[in-house]
Amino acid sequence: MTRHRIRWIALAVAGLLVAFGVVLAVQHRSETSTPRLVQEHQPAPTFDLTSIDDQPVSSQALKGKTYVVNFWNSWCLPCRQEEPALKTFYAAHRDDPDFAMVGIVRDDEESPVRAYVAANDITWPVAFDPDGRAGLGFGTTGQPETYVIGPSGVAACGGLGPVSAADLEAWLEVARSGGVCT
């Protein structure tokens, strides 16, 4: 009887530790900070991905535009929190000829991503990064992470953690003018 009780206690403690770890992992980015690529004002890495609609999404096609890259996934709570801001921002700029936006899925499966995009009426291109090369190129450390790339190809502005529409508007203005966020 004692061994059985010890096993249950050990399982309960292990379960609590796992739950605590998940909470910490999901909540580790509650405030926006600046990604290293942006701090160093480095050129954005190149990427060649495929969208959920099986269309090519490449940095080469975005050359000369000011574009937003948002790394996210369907199970990330901060990603879900920032979604309304991304929708508002994209709706305001989707028809701008010098603008583009792409969501790059990081650490997620295709089926839940497709379901999430459809259920939430996400209209900007969403691409998979199956081997993680785009994420590695940008130096991502989690999600959400957002980068605004200027027409010269330099990572002008960006943030680690959820962003607001006001952040995106300010960053777009800086990037379009050839500036960089400090």
Side-chain angles (χ1 to χ4, degrees):
M1 187 72 146
T2 305
R3 280 187 179 167
H4 188 65
R5 185 178 215 175
I6 291 172
R7 280 187 194 153
W8 280 109
I9 292 171
L11 283 172
V13 169
L16 286 172
L17 288 174
V18 167
F20 182 68
V22 168
V23 168
L24 285 178
V26 169
Q27 300 299 326
H28 83 284
R29 290 230 177 116
S30 60
E31 295 188 23
T32 303
S33 59
T34 306
R36 185 174 173 179
L37 186 70
V38 172
Q39 290 174 7
E40 298 172 356
H41 309 300
Q42 296 292 318
T46 60
F47 55 87
D48 288 298
L49 305 170
T50 302
S51 75
I52 63 171
D53 300 327
D54 295 320
Q55 297 298 311
V57 176
S58 75
S59 54
Q60 183 65 29
L62 302 172
K63 203 171 196 171
K65 293 186 177 196
T66 301
Y67 63 96
V68 174
V69 176
N70 176 257
F71 286 90
W72 69 285
N73 63 37
S74 66
W75 51 262
C76 164
L77 294 179
C79 299
R80 290 175 179 223
Q81 291 168 347
E82 79 174 354
E83 180 192 319
L86 293 170
K87 282 182 174 177
T88 298
F89 175 75
Y90 185 69
H93 297 284
R94 71 174 153 229
D95 295 326
D96 297 359
D98 65 337
F99 170 79
M101 186 162 118
V102 61
I104 299 179
V105 178
R106 186 176 185 277
D107 297 331
D108 206 343
E109 300 294 321
E110 286 191 26
S111 179
V113 169
R114 289 178 190 281
Y116 186 85
V117 167
N120 292 284
D121 195 30
I122 293 173
T123 57
W124 56 90
V126 172
F128 294 107
D129 186 17
D131 58 8
R133 286 187 191 169
L136 288 171
F138 277 85
T140 59
T141 58
Q143 60 274 335
E145 287 190 21
T146 306
Y147 300 83
V148 180
I149 312 305
S152 67
V154 171
C157 302
L160 306 173
V163 297
S164 68
D167 290 335
L168 292 165
E169 290 293 345
W171 295 346
L172 181 64
E173 186 175 323
V174 168
R176 279 182 167 162
S177 70
V180 292
C181 294
T182 53

